Amino acid sequence: MSEENHDEGISKDEVTPVDEAHDSGDALSQAEAILNEAAADAEAPEASDKEAELRDDLLRLQAEYVNYRKRVERDRDVARDVAVQSVFVNLLPVLDDIDAARAHGDLAEGPFASIANKLDAVLEGLGLERIADAGVLFDPNIHEALIQQPHAEIPADHVAQVLRTGFKKGERILRAAQVIVSLGE
């Protein structure tokens, strides 16, 4: 067979172009394109049971893929939150030292005061909250009562003094605040 005859044996109709959706690399967009094509074909009266079965399989596969993506995103968020909380827990002794230095007046001004303020701002931006309010109702979920004392100005079962600041991120308590609870008068 000559080269001309060999080329004539291949029909141009046998070569099909590739859809743009297949080139995109996004499986979800590929599935949607196939579903749209199948929906158009399914409206035709000659749609067979095999086509309906393939469409159902494709819909099921698309739903599984969407659920998988949501699960991966949720797991990624949980892993990120756990990592951030781990860093916070490891920084708590440093934050205690900064609070002690502030209480003694060592961080009133200067470069270390600036660094401490920036660290506080960054941690607050990441969602770290201090539990350090006196005068609030004692809550065993966020406070650790070390002592109960009578106090004339603060009602019973309220925090009279915070001995060690507690911290939380969102609803999770990283460390309970150690407090003195008032007995009232």
Side-chain angles (χ1 to χ4, degrees):
M1 192 181 237
S2 71
E3 190 172 315
E4 289 177 13
N5 290 343
H6 185 292
D7 288 339
E8 290 175 11
I10 299 176
S11 168
K12 301 247 183 208
D13 294 335
E14 293 176 352
V15 178
T16 57
V18 177
D19 287 50
E20 289 180 24
H22 294 288
D23 291 339
S24 71
D26 184 10
L28 186 58
S29 64
Q30 291 175 8
E32 287 174 355
I34 293 170
L35 283 173
N36 290 337
E37 290 174 15
D41 292 342
E43 292 175 3
E46 65 270 356
S48 70
D49 290 338
K50 180 69 173 172
E51 289 173 344
E53 182 181 333
L54 289 173
R55 177 174 163 66
D56 290 343
D57 287 346
L58 191 55
L59 285 170
R60 191 175 310 106
L61 182 63
Q62 182 184 21
E64 288 175 8
Y65 178 72
V66 168
N67 290 336
Y68 169 76
R69 266 189 19 190
K70 288 178 182 177
R71 187 173 53 250
V72 166
E73 289 171 8
R74 186 179 61 243
D75 291 348
R76 189 178 319 142
D77 291 342
V78 167
R80 185 185 70 240
D81 287 345
V82 167
V84 168
Q85 289 174 3
S86 174
V87 170
F88 285 162
V89 168
N90 289 318
L91 282 176
L92 293 182
V94 174
L95 296 174
D96 289 339
D97 292 344
I98 290 172
D99 287 343
R102 278 194 184 115
H104 290 286
D106 294 340
L107 285 180
E109 54 186 63
F112 290 117
S114 174
I115 291 169
N117 292 336
K118 287 179 184 177
L119 178 62
D120 285 341
V122 167
L123 295 176
E124 285 177 20
L126 292 172
L128 185 68
E129 297 177 48
R130 293 178 184 270
I131 304 170
D133 295 332
V136 298
L137 184 64
F138 175 77
D139 181 356
N141 295 317
I142 62 172
H143 298 118
E144 179 183 349
L146 298 180
I147 304 170
Q148 283 188 316
Q149 291 180 337
H151 200 283
E153 298 172 6
I154 298 179
D157 296 330
H158 283 67
V159 174
Q161 182 181 355
V162 177
L163 300 175
R164 185 177 78 173
T165 302
F167 293 93
K168 69 178 184 172
K169 180 178 185 321
E171 295 299 315
R172 181 172 174 160
I173 305 301
L174 302 175
R175 181 177 75 191
Q178 292 180 340
V179 299
I180 297 174
V181 179
S182 172
L183 291 173
E185 287 191 65

